[in-house]
């Protein structure tokens, strides 16, 4: 059974801190890994990674995938209160629907 | 372009009742997926529909069913509601089923079963 595990489950940091969120996976026929941010209701798409070692960046957020070690990290630098959200990691594999981890709840306090 | 629209936003039902949730995908998107989100289990896959056909089904009991219409709109139905069905039900769409593009989610329907 495909499995995606995120850590930590929750995290509290102060504004300006840098955080690293982790996602490891055990799936057959890995295709791609996706990161989403969920603030109130709808998860919104952040990144999709398919190749190992390539970093995707968008402003203060960046992510990298290690296909050999089967994990990905999401980095957020200079955190702001608006970064408070649940961050979801999900994996496409084989012909199966997107499989999600349980998420990391990030709280950024002023 | 309007996003994925789910109705209603909130529902309160009692055990034993049934409920129907609706989802309108992004214009031009023909693939619709449904997920159940609970604090303990995270997002769990329910169904995927494309061209009015169910392509995949998650590990949920037969009380959970769905369908897709010719205009790509989708509904899911839960019969004989149980307390454990209380959750946020999220719908997501894609242009077509693809492992190379992200799902685009709606705001969900919050179902509370009392």
């Amino acid at each position: 059974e495909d499995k995606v595990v995120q850590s930590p489950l929750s995290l509290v940091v102060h504004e300006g801190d840098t955080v690293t969120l982790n996602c490891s996976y055990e799936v057959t026929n890995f295709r791609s890994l996706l990161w989403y941010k969920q603030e109130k209701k709808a998860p919104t798409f952040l990144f999709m990674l398919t190749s190992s070692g390539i970093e995707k960046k968008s402003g203060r957020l960046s992510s990298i995938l290690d296909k050999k070690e089967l994990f990905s990290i999401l980095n957020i630098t200079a955190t702001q209160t608006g970064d408070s959200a649940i961050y979801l990691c999900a994996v496409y594999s084989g012909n199966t629907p997107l499989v999600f981890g349980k998420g990391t709840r990030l709280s950024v306090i002023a | 372009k309007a996003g994925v629209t789910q109705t209603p936003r909130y529902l309160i039902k009692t055990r034993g009742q049934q409920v129907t949730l609706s989802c309108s995908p992004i214009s031009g998107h023909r693939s619709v997926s449904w997920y159940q989100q609970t604090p303990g289990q995270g997002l769990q896959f329910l169904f995927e529909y494309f061209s009015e056909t169910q392509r995949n089904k998650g590990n949920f009991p037969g009380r959970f069913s769905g369908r897709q219409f010719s205009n790509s709109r989708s509904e899911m139905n839960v019969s004989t509601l149980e307390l454990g069905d209380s959750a946020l039900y999220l719908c997501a769409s894609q242009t077509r089923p693809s492992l190379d593009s992200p799902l685009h989610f709606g705001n969900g329907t919050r179902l509370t079963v009392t």
Side-chain angles (χ1 to χ4, degrees):
Chain A
E1 185 182 323
D2 294 344
K3 193 160 64 169
V4 178
V5 178
Q6 292 186 245
S7 64
L9 289 180
S10 66
L11 190 56
V12 181
V13 301
H14 289 94
E15 267 192 321
D17 287 350
T18 293
V19 298
T20 298
L21 310 183
N22 303 293
C23 175
S24 64
Y25 59 90
E26 291 177 29
V27 301
T28 52
N29 300 320
F30 172 86
R31 184 72 170 254
S32 59
L33 185 145
L34 293 82
W35 285 96
Y36 284 83
K37 176 183 181 182
Q38 185 177 24
E39 291 181 79
K40 299 281 188 194
K41 293 288 171 68
T44 54
F45 171 70
L46 294 174
F47 300 115
M48 174 182 265
L49 301 122
T50 56
S51 299
S52 195
I54 291 181
E55 185 179 17
K56 291 274 184 95
K57 286 194 72 164
S58 176
R60 297 176 294 103
L61 276 66
S62 64
S63 182
I64 195 162
L65 171 68
D66 187 326
K67 283 173 72 175
K68 182 180 174 189
E69 301 298 331
L70 309 183
F71 77 89
S72 173
I73 59 172
L74 176 68
N75 276 321
I76 308 174
T77 59
T79 51
Q80 304 170 356
T81 54
D83 295 326
S84 296
I86 297 173
Y87 289 85
L88 298 164
C89 173
V91 171
Y92 276 130
S93 69
N95 222 10
T96 57
L98 203 52
V99 176
F100 283 84
K102 293 187 179 180
T104 294
R105 181 180 292 276
L106 173 65
S107 300
V108 182
I109 54 179
Chain B
K1 205 183 227 186
V4 177
T5 304
Q6 292 188 245
T7 57
R9 294 292 302 276
Y10 302 93
L11 266 177
I12 299 175
K13 293 284 189 179
T14 55
R15 275 181 297 177
Q17 288 186 312
Q18 76 162 15
V19 66
T20 299
L21 313 181
S22 180
C23 172
S24 293
I26 293 171
S27 178
H29 284 197
R30 292 162 56 207
S31 175
V32 172
S33 298
W34 288 89
Y35 284 81
Q36 181 195 66
Q37 186 176 28
T38 58
Q41 298 298 320
L43 272 86
Q44 293 188 291
F45 172 74
L46 283 157
F47 328 96
E48 179 190 14
Y49 288 92
F50 177 65
S51 292
E52 301 177 68
T53 301
Q54 187 179 90
R55 294 186 74 245
N56 277 299
K57 187 176 192 303
N59 189 24
F60 279 82
R63 301 183 297 107
F64 290 81
S65 62
R67 58 179 175 168
Q68 186 181 34
F69 301 96
S70 58
N71 62 357
S72 297
R73 192 177 69 84
S74 178
E75 288 182 348
M76 66 164 281
N77 185 78
V78 188
S79 62
T80 320
L81 284 165
E82 300 177 0
L83 295 179
D85 298 332
S86 295
L88 180 66
Y89 289 87
L90 291 163
C91 171
S93 71
Q94 287 178 304
T95 309
R96 54 178 175 75
S98 169
L99 302 181
D100 299 316
S101 66
L103 296 178
H104 299 272
F105 284 88
N107 281 326
T109 294
R110 170 75 62 186
L111 172 64
T112 302
V113 182
T114 62

